[in-house]
Amino acid sequence: MINQSTPPRLIVFSGAGLSADSGIPTFRDENGLWHNHNVDQVANGLTWKANWNLVRQFYNDRRTSLDTVEPNAMHYTIAAWEKKYHTQILTQNIDDLLERAGCEHVVHLHGKLTEMRCEACGHKWDIGHTSIGETDRCINVPKCQSLKGVRPNIVFFNEHAPNYRIMYESLRHLNKTDCVVVIGTSGIVINLDSLLFDSPCLKILNNLESGPGIDETIYDHVIFDRASKSADQLNDLVNNHMSRYM
Ligand code: NAD
Ligand code: ZN
């Protein structure tokens, strides 16, 4: 029995492919590996301190280059869904394009490029699209001011991802009135197959192409095309489904 008092839920789960059409390279596609860096060197929880100059420069470049990109049609479509439906936006992306398209509540599973964090005191702060310098300290004055604790507020490989808890919670107990839309992810870092395969919700996948990391057979609709080009088709599928249960 469907509980009609509970509005249908829309869960949007995105990866690097969502922002690829805005000009932010993905990790694993042909032109991936941002600026030919090795992700193990620049995003590794075990080595970032030893590589701090490289790590700092790498994220400074990513952060300042956010000034040169804009949200694409898919980001705006997601923002419109959030206004219309009971929506949970989960993203692996560290860019701010969803927010800039108008999304109000975005769960960044791997942190945010625009934020710094201090490992010494736990303080977090926004630095927008600016660079941080070699001598920049924690801004938690006068309590902390640590130099060595300052880092991007990004989840590196080999680190705990505190927001995964929100993701697991969101994907539990979905019913047939709910809808999950997965956009632009290889499934290699986070794989939703085991969470979604027996869920009765409507499942929609959009990727550029088929890949080994995702079992496409568990999805009700699969669209292989650029996210920005697929926005209208995804919008129709989501609107058709959600309007049946509103
Ligand atoms: P990934 O690089 O492993 O996979 C990219 C996926 O996107 C592939 O499945 C590919 O088919 C698809 N894709 C590529 N171009 C597309 C397009 N134009 N439209 C639709 N789909 C497209 O990315 P991932 O699964 O997100 O995992 C990589 C990790 O890299 C994540 O943890 C993420 O934090 C990080 N990352 C983030 C950004 C960003 O913030 N924009 C960019 C690169 C990597
Ligand atoms: Zn501090």
Side-chain angles (χ1 to χ4, degrees):
M1 248 315 256
I2 293 162
N3 180 357
Q4 293 294 351
S5 64
T6 314
R9 290 195 296 147
L10 174 64
I11 295 171
V12 183
F13 177 83
S14 60
L18 169 64
S19 297
D21 290 344
S22 295
I24 302 181
T26 64
F27 265 167
R28 291 179 182 76
D29 294 328
E30 256 172 49
N31 301 318
L33 279 195
W34 297 340
H35 289 233
N36 299 322
H37 278 287
N38 179 347
V39 288
D40 283 336
Q41 273 186 342
V42 297
N44 188 335
L46 302 176
T47 59
W48 74 267
K49 281 195 181 184
N51 294 330
W52 176 229
N53 266 334
L54 185 66
V55 172
R56 190 172 50 81
Q57 196 53 50
F58 177 78
Y59 287 101
N60 278 346
D61 289 348
R62 307 279 74 69
R63 198 179 308 104
T64 52
S65 71
L66 289 176
D67 267 347
T68 66
V69 295
E70 297 292 336
N72 65 56
M74 197 62 240
H75 294 101
Y76 287 110
T77 299
I78 296 169
W81 290 339
E82 189 187 33
K83 291 191 175 42
K84 260 168 63 185
Y85 305 123
H86 184 47
T87 304
Q88 171 97 70
I89 302 168
L90 306 165
T91 189
Q92 296 169 89
N93 293 349
I94 56 176
D95 65 59
D96 60 356
L97 294 178
L98 282 163
E99 286 86 351
R100 282 162 60 194
C103 295
E104 287 186 27
H105 301 289
V106 181
V107 177
H108 284 270
L109 298 162
H110 295 155
K112 293 165 88 170
L113 256 179
T114 53
E115 273 181 10
M116 299 300 290
R117 173 171 106 229
C118 172
E119 282 202 345
C121 71
H123 190 69
K124 292 178 192 162
W125 65 101
D126 197 291
I127 61 162
H129 296 175
T130 63
S131 293
I132 55 146
E134 211 177 336
T135 55
D136 285 356
R137 293 175 177 271
C138 171
I139 65 157
N140 190 5
V141 180
K143 276 195 201 148
C144 179
Q145 291 177 269
S146 164
L147 180 65
K148 295 237 161 99
V150 172
R151 59 170 285 173
N153 188 24
I154 286 170
V155 178
F156 294 147
F157 291 103
N158 299 311
E159 288 185 331
H160 167 61
N163 283 347
Y164 279 21
R165 185 187 285 230
I166 301 172
M167 171 181 74
Y168 289 122
E169 188 58 39
S170 302
L171 293 169
R172 263 167 47 186
H173 312 306
L174 293 170
N175 66 43
K176 69 177 254 195
T177 66
D178 301 322
C179 176
V180 175
V181 186
V182 175
I183 303 168
T185 179
S186 62
I188 291 174
V189 179
I190 300 180
N191 191 305
L192 297 187
D193 290 357
S194 58
L195 298 171
L196 289 181
F197 83 98
D198 63 349
S199 169
C201 68
L202 185 78
K203 299 180 276 285
I204 304 171
L205 173 69
N206 167 225
N207 262 333
L208 192 57
E209 57 203 0
S210 179
I214 292 190
D215 178 1
E216 287 130 15
T217 65
I218 68 169
Y219 288 85
D220 301 291
H221 300 277
V222 178
I223 302 169
F224 289 132
D225 205 339
R226 311 188 73 82
S228 63
K229 261 183 79 187
S230 311
D232 286 347
Q233 205 183 338
L234 286 169
N235 194 34
D236 287 345
L237 288 169
V238 167
N239 287 338
N240 282 343
H241 177 81
M242 299 302 279
S243 60
R244 284 173 63 191
Y245 299 107
M246 297 275 284

